[in-house]
Amino acid sequence: SRGATIVPISAHPAVVRELEATLCWMDERPLRAGRKLLVQHHAATVKAAVTTILQKTNIETFESQGTDEAKLNDIVRVRLKTALPLVADEYRQNRVTGAFILVDEQTGATLAAGLVAATDPEYFTDEVPAAAAFSI
């Protein structure tokens, strides 16, 4: 069906419902943990929520810093949980299946551009700021 992925037997992309990603936030309204939105990954569109905002990148020094929200043009590392599985690779391994956009459920507006940073929980960022976490 629409959004399905067909790959050779030798290629085993990750099929995930939780991933870490780097986002460039492009909305006037800040992003906070718990925000529900849509992930558009190729032809697939899936409901999702930002469960954790892990860190923000200072664009002047490139240092990571803790934060509980992302404002317009911020670069943040987040953890996403999707309602249905996605077939995704880390962006550094496959730019095509490692990129996505986040879309507002009500308006259809593009909220962020995203790059998959980790699909295996073993490689998820360990440090989760308590104020930035939200469970669904």
Side-chain angles (χ1 to χ4, degrees), residues 17-23 31-35 37 48-55 76-82 100 102 117-118 120-129 132-134 136:
R17 288 196 53 212
E18 188 171 10
L19 57 89
E20 280 192 11
T22 300
L23 303 178
L31 170 66
R32 293 187 180 86
R35 175 96 182 251
L37 31 74
V50 173
T51 58
T52 308
I53 299 176
L54 299 163
Q55 59 196 28
V76 292
R77 176 95 172 232
V78 301
R79 194 165 293 153
L80 292 169
K81 189 166 192 175
T82 62
F100 60 90
L102 297 180
D120 184 343
E122 182 178 333
Y123 299 106
F124 283 2
T125 303
D126 290 331
E127 301 168 15
V128 178
F134 177 85
I136 58 172

Side-chain angles (χ1 to χ4, degrees), residues 3 7 11-12 24 31 42-43 46-47 50 63 66 73 81 108 114 118-119 122 125 129:
V7 298
H12 295 280
C24 176
L31 170 66
H42 301 285
V46 176
K47 289 186 178 190
V50 173
E63 292 180 1
N73 296 325
K81 189 166 192 175
T119 57
E122 182 178 333
T125 303

